[in-house]
Amino acid sequence: MSRFIDRLNWVSQGVLQPMGFGVAQPVSEKPKILLIASLAQDNTTGLANYVSGADAGLLRIPRLSSGDEILTEVSQAMPDIPWGGWLRDIGREGIKQMVKFSCDFVVFSAASTSLAILQNSKVGRILEVEASLGEGLLKAVNELPVDAVLIASEPEKYFLTWHDLMLFHYFADLLTKPLLVSIPSNVTANELQALWETGVDGVVVEVGVGQPAEELRKLRQIIDNLTFPSQRKRGKTGALLPYVSREASVVTEEEEE
């Protein structure tokens, strides 16, 4: 079973006491938004400096020929955190080769990934979906054999907007699975708090050459210093039925008589 998905489920579901009649044990750690470091396949120089403080690492893999070898190297170099592969533009035959990957989880596009990925049942599956996905398809995601959902990010986005917050809220209300989003590295404490309260369980941040090495450590400190409430409003969206008061019902019956 995927270490990262186990952690993600715990964060998404909140603090759960064990079942039984024994005395409840205090929980030493409260759920906090997870921090995932994303880096390019050809951009692993100085890896330890860039991913320090992350809860998981995510390697973007456009070429399976070398991706397996690099992913094995980085997971062995930093075994304290789970590592995943972010599959990009990989065809059906490439997906079949993916079963040999030594990774904890994979991120793959809903629009361009073959169902052959179902052959690998040992890794966590995170489905990347477009932000424009409609309500019907979003609800259908809840029935798919995937463990979490990632909203595809816009390229070169330097700050979060109110539209982003509305979008994340919309996804969190319709999905029963953990939700991940991509964010810029300069996100603030208030923004992280807002994302958590909206229903976001984890954030993906790009790291590597061209990005300040200390950015992820700063985010780690911000997250550690924040207080994240265990109870959040998620999955409340449903059909609204008309409300008829008892008094109105009585009046209607009298008029009929």
Side-chain angles (χ1 to χ4, degrees):
M1 183 62 181
S2 166
R3 292 163 54 197
F4 177 65
I5 296 302
D6 281 345
R7 179 77 175 178
L8 189 58
N9 284 332
W10 176 73
V11 167
S12 177
Q13 296 168 7
V15 178
L16 299 177
Q17 291 288 355
M19 297 178 64
F21 297 99
V23 178
Q25 298 296 322
V27 179
S28 59
E29 184 183 3
K30 290 185 176 181
K32 292 187 175 184
I33 199 166
L34 294 183
L35 181 59
I36 302 97
S38 170
L39 64 157
Q41 177 176 317
D42 56 354
N43 197 4
T44 58
T45 304
L47 176 68
N49 292 328
Y50 287 110
V51 303
S52 177
D55 294 297
L58 183 57
L59 187 68
R60 298 193 295 279
I61 302 175
R63 302 181 306 276
L64 279 176
S65 57
S66 58
D68 188 13
E69 180 180 347
I70 296 176
L71 189 55
T72 300
E73 290 178 359
V74 298
S75 59
Q76 291 176 349
M78 299 195 67
D80 293 338
I81 63 173
W83 281 89
W86 195 340
L87 309 182
R88 295 291 182 88
D89 300 323
I90 295 176
R92 180 181 176 85
E93 293 304 316
I95 293 297
K96 290 181 179 179
Q97 299 176 30
M98 198 275 303
V99 298
K100 301 178 182 179
F101 267 40
S102 56
C103 59
D104 183 80
F105 63 96
V106 291
V107 177
F108 57 95
S109 169
S112 60
T113 304
S114 165
L115 287 178
I117 199 171
L118 292 174
Q119 296 179 26
N120 192 345
S121 59
K122 297 181 180 179
V123 300
R125 302 188 189 111
I126 300 177
L127 187 69
E128 181 187 9
V129 298
E130 297 295 330
S132 58
L133 205 65
E135 179 178 343
L137 288 177
L138 265 181
K139 289 183 177 180
V141 171
N142 294 327
E143 308 302 323
L144 298 181
V146 297
D147 301 297
V149 175
L150 169 66
I151 302 178
S153 61
E154 299 178 18
E156 298 182 356
K157 185 146 189 157
Y158 300 106
F159 57 89
L160 294 173
T161 65
W162 284 99
H163 181 267
D164 293 325
L165 198 62
M166 293 162 58
L167 181 68
F168 300 159
H169 204 308
Y170 172 72
F171 268 67
D173 276 347
L174 292 174
L175 292 171
T176 59
K177 299 179 184 293
L179 178 62
L180 304 174
V181 301
S182 295
I183 62 169
S185 60
N186 60 353
V187 67
T188 66
N190 288 336
E191 289 171 332
L192 284 171
Q193 191 83 54
L195 293 181
W196 174 264
E197 293 173 357
T198 296
V200 174
D201 301 298
V203 291
V204 179
V205 179
E206 184 177 351
V207 299
V209 177
Q211 302 286 338
E214 68 277 2
E215 286 294 329
L216 207 68
R217 286 193 291 268
K218 290 180 180 178
L219 278 180
R220 176 81 271 161
Q221 293 176 354
I222 292 174
I223 291 173
D224 289 343
N225 291 331
L226 284 173
T227 301
F228 294 95
S230 298
Q231 300 298 324
R232 293 181 289 166
K233 296 179 180 180
R234 284 200 60 174
K236 300 295 184 181
T237 299
L240 297 178
L241 300 178
Y243 171 74
V244 179
S245 67
R246 184 175 182 277
E247 290 78 5
S249 178
V250 172
V251 170
T252 302
E253 291 177 358
E254 291 177 352
E255 290 177 352
E256 290 178 354
E257 293 177 355

